[in-house]
Amino acid sequence: DQQVKQNSPSLSVQEGRISILNCDYTNSMFDYFLWYKKYPAEGPTFLISISSIKDKNEDGRFTVFLNKSAKHLSLHIVPSQPGDSAVYFCAASVSGNQFYFGTGTSLTVIP
Amino acid sequence: NAGVTQTPKFRILKIGQSMTLQCTQDMNHNYMYWYRQDPGMGLKLIYYSVGAGITDKGEVPNGYNVSRSTTEDFPLRLELAAPSQTSVYFCASSSSTWGNYGYTFGSGTRLTVV
């Protein structure tokens, strides 16, 4: 039973444009969310987090939005760069304990 | 900075064999985790530890064992390997259960059971 879902397995975006990666979750108790980036043959790398007391968190080109009523979060990358090409995972937890991961979205940024 | 180091990177096991996946971190993190990633799936938590001497089951613990005798090391033991354990295994660590700074992951161990 997948509690965290990323329904788009892949996404292609032109360099300089916005990339929007989406994530849905089913457990309304989730209150802490993370995004990770993963290159081939490497472990995931932490990107950005958001807690349920916020609806937005920014870090440079990366912004995460949280819509608690819709149980939806999204990661915006602006502007997208070829080095952003990777697999992106969202993860959710209750009080920062066990994190449940989505299946990932493979982003390709076209130069 | 070494971060989280996993060995081996690749391994092929025969059904019924046993092995230990090694994980070491040099960041003095209290929290350590083992995840597995199957093709097309998200990472699933196998076991985790909140400090030396303390371990607990995650989402998919069956067929695995762990120990945490030191802060640095968190080995994962597979007994009687089965084809269903073919996966990529990631070890991770964090400084707090809240993961405020996210987890630091190792580069993974790709295990094939034949």
Side-chain angles (χ1 to χ4, degrees):
Chain A
D1 183 25
Q2 195 74 21
Q3 298 193 52
V4 178
K5 299 177 184 179
Q6 294 175 259
N7 293 318
S8 298
S10 62
L11 174 68
S12 290
V13 172
Q14 288 289 133
E15 181 179 3
R17 307 294 281 267
I18 184 172
S19 295
I20 300 176
L21 295 95
N22 294 305
C23 180
D24 297 295
Y25 59 95
T26 56
N27 188 345
S28 58
M29 298 298 291
F30 286 149
D31 59 1
Y32 202 76
F33 306 88
L34 306 175
W35 281 95
Y36 286 88
K37 175 180 179 179
K38 184 183 180 303
Y39 293 117
E42 294 184 11
T45 303
F46 171 71
L47 202 53
I48 193 168
S49 65
I50 189 167
S51 72
S52 59
I53 63 172
K54 293 185 172 183
D55 54 17
K56 178 182 174 182
N57 190 26
E58 284 182 84
D59 185 1
R61 296 186 297 113
F62 301 92
T63 303
V64 56
F65 295 92
L66 176 63
N67 182 333
K68 292 184 286 293
S69 60
K71 298 193 189 71
H72 177 84
L73 66 157
S74 61
L75 175 68
H76 293 209
I77 306 173
V78 183
S80 300
Q81 299 173 353
D84 296 329
S85 297
V87 177
Y88 290 79
F89 292 96
C90 64
S93 78
V94 177
S95 301
N97 289 315
Q98 180 172 333
F99 275 90
Y100 293 87
F101 282 75
T103 52
T105 296
S106 179
L107 173 66
T108 301
V109 180
I110 303 165
Chain B
N1 294 331
V4 177
T5 303
Q6 289 183 240
T7 56
K9 292 193 182 301
F10 304 93
R11 183 72 186 268
I12 298 175
L13 274 183
K14 293 185 177 179
I15 294 172
Q17 286 185 320
S18 300
M19 76 164 293
T20 299
L21 281 67
Q22 302 291 345
C23 176
T24 299
Q25 53 94 5
D26 62 358
M27 297 169 287
N28 202 33
H29 284 171
N30 284 327
Y31 299 88
M32 295 188 75
Y33 314 85
W34 273 106
Y35 283 88
R36 60 178 285 174
Q37 184 187 15
D38 299 330
M41 303 295 289
L43 282 75
K44 292 190 182 295
L45 183 64
I46 306 171
Y47 270 95
Y48 66 99
S49 170
V50 301
I54 306 169
T55 62
D56 209 346
K57 296 177 180 179
E59 193 178 356
V60 289
N62 291 343
Y64 307 94
N65 277 302
V66 293
S67 59
R68 185 93 182 272
S69 57
T70 66
T71 299
E72 296 78 20
D73 300 308
F74 191 40
L76 177 71
R77 178 82 178 161
L78 278 73
E79 305 281 2
L80 299 175
S84 61
Q85 293 178 304
T86 294
S87 190
V88 180
Y89 292 83
F90 291 101
C91 179
S93 70
S94 70
S95 58
S96 74
T97 185
W98 287 92
N100 285 345
Y101 306 102
Y103 295 169
T104 300
F105 280 87
S107 58
T109 295
R110 185 174 295 274
L111 175 67
T112 303
V113 181
V114 295

